[in-house]
Amino acid sequence: MAFMGSEKYPVENAYDSFVSGHGGFCNAFTEGEYTVYQFEVQSEHFAQALDIFAHCFRSPLLSPSAQQREVEAIESEFCLAVNEDASRWQQVFSQHCRPGHVYGKFSWGNLRSLVEEPRRRGLDVQALLQAFRRAHYPPARMKLVLAGPQSLRQLERCARDSFEDWSCAPDQAQDQAQAQAQPQASDGGHGAAEPEFRPPLDPAWKQRVQKIVGIEKGQRLLLTWELPPSLRQYRSKPLAYVAHLLGHEAQGGVLALLKRRGLATQLSAGVGDSNMESSSLATLFVVQVQLTRRGLANWPLVVECVGRYLQLLRRAGPQRWVFEELRDMAALAFQFQDEEEPADLAERLSVEMLPLLGRERAHLLQASTRLWRFDEPQVAQALRRMQVREARIDLVASSFARLLDRDRDGDGDGAAEAEDEGEGDCSDGEEEEDAR
């Protein structure tokens, strides 16, 4: 909506037409706690494109006619998203959250949520849209990144020409000053005390196994742990330590054992890039296992294998040599990384600059890659929290659609189709191997 005309550039598609007409593109995406807007254009037209971009935030028209067209575009995107397993899993997770928790909200937009439901409740969407912009789009809450072949002085001049005289209302400026003055907890425990962690999920849903009908072929097991926020632990990255060991594919790892038993073909572990998986409220650590048909039939054994490996890690305790290996590999990856596209660099830095992440200015370029400090207590705490009994268990398989059909017809009890292999435990007849 912001890009559909402004007071200075009132033509509805002025921004998109100018950028695409000069060899560029524009894009935007919204996460749970922030939205990113970006464009790329030929360098000789950068200053003009930036001015059009700036006025989309300074004085957007937000016209009712444009609103209708935007709703149609959102509905189209929603119809595509509902056919993605990741989106379907996210919505099932949200439905199982504690009453009133922000994670329980409908995180998408569609025709029903933006038009039909507000109309039923007698709400003025246009007024709500204007109020939302005034509340959440003051200049003090934004971060701007410019990347291009121009000199730093030239880029600064472009920014000043388009943004310098844009000021926020006195009440917004006061709120922003208070927010910046408030101490924030940082990696290492300095600053204000962390607020009490309130896990998103309703505890009742941790004691069940959710079977989700998948769209994609194959079958997957997901183990999800709700952990305290970890956005600010960028210097030590304790969850990267755990993810590295759980996801290791060498002999002695979980995947190697599952492959030997014919239960799985792939395994990934860690915290995703989305703001839902890593936010100021919680961190979702997910172990996702690509199961064979045999693995689906014996999914409790797969869960046991992951649980037994976590027990080994807890028993061995955090190992400095593992961290040092990760630290050195990360340093090499940063030193010899491919040159980043300017648009990707600008997008990444605009997020890294957010107060939400607590990055030091000197670390902005390196924070997402490098590790600086071994935090043994944080690693140990994460491992203590990652008990199997505390995990949410989801099974996703397209074959579950047949079970639903059988249940509707009264011919089945909803149990998963199983190939009875007589599986016992995950020891594979060998002594417990040392955790790598």
Side-chain angles (χ1 to χ4, degrees):
M1 283 297 297
F3 293 152
M4 293 187 170
S6 63
E7 292 178 5
K8 184 175 180 179
Y9 303 96
V11 178
E12 188 172 300
N13 63 344
Y15 170 68
D16 181 68
S17 296
F18 185 88
V19 171
S20 59
H22 294 89
F25 69 89
C26 54
N27 193 21
F29 64 89
T30 296
E31 290 284 0
E33 295 176 289
Y34 59 86
T35 298
V36 175
Y37 301 86
Q38 66 176 137
F39 74 87
E40 182 177 292
V41 73
Q42 293 169 350
S43 58
E44 59 267 31
H45 301 288
F46 181 73
Q48 179 66 26
L50 183 64
D51 196 60
I52 301 174
F53 179 82
H55 282 270
C56 289
F57 301 108
R58 298 180 57 167
S59 57
L61 297 180
L62 304 179
S63 67
S65 61
Q67 178 183 316
Q68 178 59 36
R69 283 187 286 277
E70 182 63 17
V71 167
E72 292 172 357
I74 292 172
E75 174 70 11
S76 178
E77 291 179 1
F78 174 76
C79 291
L80 293 175
V82 296
N83 291 316
E84 298 175 355
D85 281 350
S87 301
R88 293 158 66 88
W89 177 87
Q90 178 179 319
Q91 193 54 42
V92 172
F93 183 95
S94 296
Q95 290 179 344
H96 294 167
C97 287
R98 299 172 187 265
H101 197 286
V102 68
Y103 270 40
K105 291 185 176 181
F106 177 56
S107 57
W108 296 87
N110 60 13
L111 185 64
R112 179 181 175 183
S113 68
L114 297 173
V115 176
E116 296 172 359
E117 188 64 19
R119 183 186 297 143
R120 186 186 66 82
R121 296 167 59 185
L123 299 176
D124 185 346
V125 175
Q126 181 68 14
L128 292 173
L129 192 62
Q130 294 284 3
F132 185 89
R133 186 190 75 83
R134 288 191 297 270
H136 299 288
Y137 277 68
R141 299 188 67 175
M142 297 185 180
K143 300 296 180 184
L144 177 68
V145 178
L146 308 180
Q150 300 90 337
S151 67
L152 291 178
R153 187 179 296 275
Q154 289 173 317
L155 291 174
E156 180 184 356
R157 173 49 53 194
C158 288
R160 289 185 178 276
D161 288 345
S162 296
F163 290 96
E164 189 170 36
D165 60 343
W166 183 27
S167 59
C168 56
D171 59 333
Q172 293 172 334
Q174 183 178 1
D175 291 344
Q176 182 68 13
Q178 292 175 350
Q180 292 177 341
Q182 182 178 356
Q184 300 280 352
S186 61
D187 189 9
H190 305 295
E194 293 279 3
E196 182 181 357
F197 174 54
R198 183 169 177 250
L201 277 175
D202 186 326
W205 291 101
K206 287 185 180 179
Q207 301 168 19
R208 311 182 189 183
V209 177
Q210 285 68 234
K211 294 181 179 179
I212 303 173
V213 177
I215 300 296
E216 302 165 11
K217 291 183 178 180
Q219 44 273 326
R220 293 180 301 285
L221 166 71
L222 290 92
L223 298 172
T224 304
W225 283 271
E226 307 164 280
L227 305 176
S230 60
L231 284 172
R232 293 173 172 269
Q233 297 174 345
Y234 73 91
R235 296 176 185 85
S236 54
K237 297 182 175 63
L239 296 182
Y241 174 105
V242 180
H244 171 69
L245 294 177
L246 275 173
H248 208 287
E249 299 183 5
Q251 185 71 17
V254 179
L255 181 59
L257 174 58
L258 294 177
K259 282 185 172 180
R260 282 202 304 272
R261 301 296 296 270
L263 300 173
T265 58
Q266 294 179 357
L267 183 149
S268 62
V271 181
D273 295 330
S274 78
N275 190 216
M276 179 178 179
E277 293 177 75
S278 184
S279 73
S280 63
L281 300 174
T283 301
L284 302 182
F285 189 105
V286 181
V287 173
Q288 182 170 190
V289 184
Q290 199 77 23
L291 300 171
T292 61
R293 285 176 57 84
R294 183 180 183 185
L296 179 62
N298 295 279
W299 64 264
L301 179 58
V302 179
V303 173
E304 182 190 353
C305 289
V306 175
R308 292 277 290 275
Y309 191 78
L310 285 168
Q311 286 179 353
L312 285 174
L313 295 182
R314 284 190 289 270
R315 189 182 308 155
Q319 303 293 310
R320 178 173 288 275
W321 71 266
V322 175
F323 169 81
E324 291 175 348
E325 181 180 277
L326 282 171
R327 179 199 62 196
D328 295 345
M329 291 169 58
L332 288 172
F334 179 80
Q335 182 179 358
F336 297 105
Q337 65 183 308
D338 294 333
E339 184 175 356
E340 201 167 2
E341 291 292 331
D344 296 334
L345 174 64
E347 176 190 313
R348 180 171 63 84
L349 289 180
S350 69
V351 176
E352 294 287 339
M353 291 167 63
L354 294 173
L356 174 74
L357 275 63
R359 310 297 199 230
E360 289 187 16
R361 292 174 66 90
H363 293 162
L364 286 175
L365 288 171
Q366 309 173 64
S368 60
T369 306
R370 298 285 303 276
L371 292 89
W372 284 272
R373 181 171 58 82
F374 179 45
D375 194 331
E376 183 175 345
Q378 289 284 4
V379 175
Q381 183 184 67
L383 288 170
R384 284 196 300 271
R385 286 180 175 271
M386 293 177 65
Q387 306 282 344
V388 168
R389 65 176 178 271
E390 294 297 324
R392 172 190 170 91
I393 302 176
D394 294 296
L395 290 170
V396 183
S398 57
S399 61
F400 289 160
R402 296 196 297 273
L403 302 180
L404 285 177
D405 292 339
R406 279 213 310 243
D407 286 347
R408 293 190 187 103
D409 296 337
D411 296 330
D413 61 0
E417 294 172 324
E419 300 170 7
D420 186 3
E421 300 290 343
E423 302 290 354
D425 57 49
C426 68
S427 63
D428 201 28
E430 302 173 1
E431 294 295 325
E432 289 184 341
E433 299 169 279
D434 291 336
R436 185 183 185 279

